[in-house]
Amino acid sequence: GRISFTNVKVPHNSIFGGEGKGLQIIQHFFNENRIRQAASSLGAAQFCVNESVKYAMVRKPFGKALSSHQGIQFPLVELQTQCEMIRALIHKTAWLMDKDGPFSVSDKVSMCNYWANRLCCQAADRAMQVHGGLGYSRHKPFEHIYRHHRRYRITEGAEEIQMRRVAGYMFGYMKQKAPKGVQSKL
């Protein structure tokens, strides 16, 4: 649908953030939401790993626990390692944002965002694999987690955009911390 207004007057004191400040306000939201989104994806990834470990411990096809097989263990070990690493980066990045301002570590916000979202999808995919047919069914949350968090790899800056931002800082193409035309502090 489309809505349009003509000849509408909005009192100056009713304009959120002031006239001409809309981009600045929304950019603050996007930047701060990306770190929250990363934390959410990390939580979902950790859930998938934890549930897979629990299931692998109790599921015993042919009398032997799934957890005794390296083919089950090693992918979950890699996912757990990545969860621990991104958790540390998310904590550090959020702390620096609180300490130095929301745009002080824009490169790290982008790192957290694209990697945690990707990690969540990998963990959900692995959880479906470990749980077999049950994991793909609606009796377990993994397919929903995958679908829900897969969209985060697209919205509010696709992971390629996030990687481009990181590369811009790494290679010196981006000098400013805040987006163009946006003040670091409101």
Side-chain angles (χ1 to χ4, degrees):
R2 183 178 173 183
I3 298 174
S4 62
F5 299 96
T6 54
N7 298 324
V8 174
K9 297 191 189 275
V10 177
H12 186 70
N13 63 351
S14 295
I15 299 173
F16 185 62
E19 189 173 344
K21 300 289 186 183
L23 176 63
Q24 184 175 354
I25 291 168
I26 199 69
Q27 288 288 8
H28 275 271
F29 169 79
F30 281 156
N31 201 58
E32 292 174 354
N33 195 53
R34 286 178 181 135
I35 195 71
R36 286 188 294 269
Q37 201 175 63
S40 173
S41 289
L42 169 61
Q46 188 67 68
F47 172 82
C48 291
V49 171
N50 293 349
E51 291 298 304
S52 296
V53 169
K54 282 194 277 189
Y55 183 77
M57 298 287 286
V58 297
R59 178 76 171 108
K60 295 180 180 175
F62 308 108
K64 189 174 181 183
L66 283 177
S67 62
S68 67
H69 298 283
Q70 290 177 344
I72 298 293
Q73 295 170 354
F74 288 4
L76 292 172
V77 166
E78 288 179 348
L79 289 168
Q80 181 61 38
T81 302
Q82 291 177 35
C83 282
E84 292 296 334
M85 290 188 299
I86 195 66
R87 181 177 292 107
L89 184 58
I90 289 170
H91 284 167
K92 175 183 178 180
T93 302
W95 176 74
L96 287 170
M97 289 174 74
D98 284 345
K99 181 174 139 319
D100 299 329
F103 294 109
S104 61
V105 284
S106 291
D107 57 334
K108 288 175 182 44
V109 170
S110 290
M111 288 177 197
C112 290
N113 183 265
Y114 92 82
W115 194 256
N117 294 334
R118 185 185 290 179
L119 174 62
C120 183
C121 291
Q122 292 170 348
D125 184 71
R126 178 54 50 185
M128 286 187 274
Q129 191 70 23
V130 169
H131 285 78
L134 179 63
Y136 188 69
S137 74
R138 298 237 170 153
H139 296 287
K140 292 290 183 182
F142 309 121
E143 61 85 22
H144 174 78
I145 290 170
Y146 183 89
R147 282 185 296 111
H148 182 78
H149 287 270
R150 179 61 178 93
R151 72 180 176 169
Y152 291 150
R153 293 173 66 188
I154 301 166
T155 59
E156 293 184 30
E159 66 183 33
E160 293 83 2
I161 297 298
Q162 301 308 316
M163 293 172 78
R164 183 171 175 247
R165 287 170 47 95
V166 173
Y169 291 112
M170 279 178 64
F171 294 99
Y173 299 117
M174 288 182 72
K175 303 285 188 223
Q176 81 281 358
K177 291 295 182 180
K180 292 178 184 172
V182 177
Q183 298 172 4
S184 289
K185 303 218 182 209
L186 278 177

